[in-house]
Amino acid sequence: MAAQAAILEGPIARPARSLGCGRGDALVKDMTTATMTSVSMPADWRDFLALTKPRVMTLVVFTGLCGLLAAPGHINPVLAFTTILCIALGAGAAGALNQWVEADSDRLMKRTANRPLPAGRMERQSALHFGVGLSFFSVLTLALATNWVAGAILAVSILFYVLVYTIWLKPRTAQNIVIGGAAGAFPPVIGWAAVTGDVSALPIALFCLIFFWTPPHFWALALYVRPDYANAGIPMLPVVAGDTVTRRQIWGYTAIMAIAAFAPVLLRQTGALYGTVALIATGVFAFYAFAVFRSRESDPAHMRAERRLFRYSILYLFIMFGAVVVDRWVMA
Amino acid sequence: MNDHVPQGAPLTQAEQDAIRARQRSRSIVTGLILGAMVILFFGIAIAKMMSKG
C-alpha cells in the first residue's frame, strides 16, 4: 500500500475522462468506466499547462515584448528572451493561482467547467504549489537576469491579479475588472523596465491604454456570457446593473481609452505613423463600441455586436502595440 | 463520489499501466524543462559576463 500511495496524486475520485481518455492512451480507453472512476491519477502535464491559461498569455507576451522593443537602449537577446519568458511564466503563475482560488465558481460556469480543477483532474493543492513556485521562479529569474525594478513590477502584477482582483474585487463589486484590469496592464512596463531599469512616460501611457481598454473588452464578453456569471454568483456589471448600464459604460470607457490611445502622440513619444494607425484602429473600435451601445438585444445567443467588439478588441491591442514598436524604430 | 480503491486493494494491471504512463510523460516533461533551465541559466550567465566585460 505504501508503494500505491506513493504513485497516486491524492485520494480524489476522478471522472472517467480525467484518466486521459482522448489523449491516445489505449490501455486507459480499454478500462471500463466503473474501474476508471475508482482510481486516482497523477495530474497530466497538460493540465498544469492549462492552469497557466496559455491563450490569455499570448496578449501578455506580445504587449511585454512591445514594451521591451520600444524601450531606448540595448538588451542582450538572451536577456530579452529571459524577460519575455519570465513575463509569460509570471502570467501563467497568476492564472494558476486564479484557478486555485476560483475552483468552486469555475465548476458552475460552462466556459470554465472543463478546467483541470473543476473537472477533477488535479488536486487543488497541486495548483497552489505550482502557482506559488512559478511566481517565485519568474520574479527571481527576471530580477537576477535584468534588474530588480522589472522583478518588483512583475511581483506586484502577480500579487495584484491574485489578491486585489481575484480574491478581493471580483466576488464583491461590479467594478472588479476596472481596477483589476491594472494587473493585465503591467507587461509593457515590465518589458520597458527590463531594458532601462526605470519607468517613464511611454510605458505609463501604454499601461493606461490597456487599463482603459479592459472594461469595454471584458464587458462585451460579459454581456453574452451573463447567464454563466449569474449562475456562478460573480457580480459582473451586466449581472448586477443590467445590459443598458453595461452598454453605456462600454461606450464611456471607449472614449477614455481613445484619449489614452493618443497619449503617446501627445507626449511626443511616438510620431505620425503611430498617430495614423491609432486614429484608424481606435475609430473602428469606437464604431463597434457604438454599435454595442445602440444595440437592444437581450438574448445572449444573438448578441452579434458584442461578439464583434470582443473579437476586434483583441486585434486592436495587437495593432496598437505593433504600431508603437514600428513607429519607435522608424523614429530612431 | 466515495468510490476510491479500498485500503489494500491491489490495482489492476491496466490501472497500474495507465498510472505509470502518466508518470512517465510527467517525468519526460520535467526532464526537458530542467534541461531547458540549465541552458537558459548558462546563457544568462554568459550574457551578464559579456555585458560587464
Side-chain angles (χ1 to χ4, degrees):
Chain A
M1 192 59 210
Q4 272 185 28
I7 61 171
L8 298 180
E9 167 83 357
I12 49 172
R14 315 184 72 83
R17 55 183 189 69
S18 74
L19 286 174
C21 288
R23 284 181 177 155
D25 190 335
L27 282 169
V28 171
K29 281 179 180 168
D30 288 344
M31 287 156 53
T32 64
T33 304
T35 307
M36 291 165 83
T37 51
S38 68
V39 181
S40 296
M41 286 284 285
D44 193 86
W45 65 269
R46 294 173 190 85
D47 291 326
F48 284 99
L49 182 65
L51 275 186
T52 64
K53 301 185 181 178
R55 277 198 294 178
V56 177
M57 210 187 279
T58 316
L59 209 57
V60 169
V61 166
F62 182 75
T63 55
L65 178 66
C66 288
L68 186 140
L69 293 174
H74 172 76
I75 184 169
N76 185 294
V78 175
L79 302 183
F81 171 78
T82 306
T83 302
I84 300 307
L85 180 70
C86 289
I87 291 173
L89 293 179
L97 292 170
N98 168 275
Q99 291 191 42
W100 170 71
V101 173
E102 297 187 333
D104 292 331
S105 55
D106 279 353
R107 200 170 291 127
L108 303 171
M109 295 198 290
K110 211 164 40 183
R111 191 170 61 88
T112 54
N114 194 34
R115 286 176 174 174
L117 291 176
R121 296 197 301 273
M122 182 186 286
E123 267 204 282
R124 212 163 163 167
Q125 208 175 25
S126 298
L128 173 64
H129 293 166
F130 179 69
V132 171
L134 208 54
S135 299
F136 275 100
F137 177 81
S138 58
V139 169
L140 291 176
T141 304
L142 181 61
L144 293 170
T146 60
N147 57 69
W148 286 96
V149 176
I153 300 171
L154 180 60
V156 168
S157 70
I158 295 170
L159 290 172
F160 193 92
Y161 185 72
V162 177
L163 299 179
V164 178
Y165 172 65
T166 306
I167 295 177
W168 183 36
L169 294 173
K170 194 171 177 183
R172 283 177 179 80
T173 169
Q175 295 298 313
N176 47 21
I177 55 111
V178 178
I179 305 161
F186 280 112
V189 185
I190 299 168
W192 181 284
V195 179
T196 63
D198 61 17
V199 178
S200 56
L202 184 58
I204 292 172
L206 297 177
F207 177 96
C208 291
L209 175 59
I210 302 179
F211 183 77
F212 291 114
W213 162 90
T214 305
H217 165 75
F218 253 106
W219 283 334
L221 170 76
L223 278 169
Y224 64 84
V225 298
R226 173 169 37 87
D228 259 8
Y229 282 120
N231 283 345
I234 296 173
M236 292 300 278
L237 192 62
V239 177
V240 175
D243 288 2
T244 309
V245 171
T246 307
R247 293 175 195 286
R248 204 180 305 140
Q249 295 263 343
I250 285 176
W251 182 233
Y253 274 100
T254 299
I256 302 172
M257 186 203 74
I259 297 168
F262 288 102
V265 183
L266 300 173
L267 293 166
R268 297 176 185 275
Q269 297 292 313
T270 55
L273 177 64
Y274 171 82
T276 308
V277 173
L279 188 67
I280 297 167
T282 309
V284 175
F285 194 110
F287 175 77
Y288 287 151
F290 190 67
V292 171
F293 174 63
R294 289 282 304 274
S295 173
R296 292 291 170 265
E297 181 60 60
S298 58
D299 181 1
H302 295 104
M303 290 185 175
R304 285 175 57 196
E306 292 75 5
R307 287 171 202 273
R308 199 172 51 183
L309 175 61
F310 178 72
R311 279 199 302 267
Y312 177 73
S313 66
I314 298 168
L315 177 66
Y316 173 77
L317 218 55
F318 277 102
I319 293 170
M320 294 294 281
F321 275 77
V324 169
V325 174
V326 173
D327 186 284
R328 297 275 296 181
W329 282 3
V330 169
M331 276 176 75
Chain B
M1 293 291 278
N2 294 321
D3 48 359
H4 305 302
V5 176
Q7 288 277 323
L11 296 172
T12 66
Q13 188 60 45
E15 289 166 345
Q16 284 186 32
D17 289 349
I19 290 171
R20 295 256 158 71
R22 180 68 59 87
Q23 285 179 312
R24 198 177 307 120
S25 71
R26 276 175 60 148
S27 301
I28 290 168
V29 172
T30 306
L32 289 173
I33 290 171
L34 288 175
M37 271 175 59
V38 169
I39 296 167
L40 177 70
F41 280 94
F42 178 75
I44 291 171
I46 298 295
K48 298 285 273 186
M49 283 193 290
M50 280 171 64
S51 65
K52 279 178 185 159

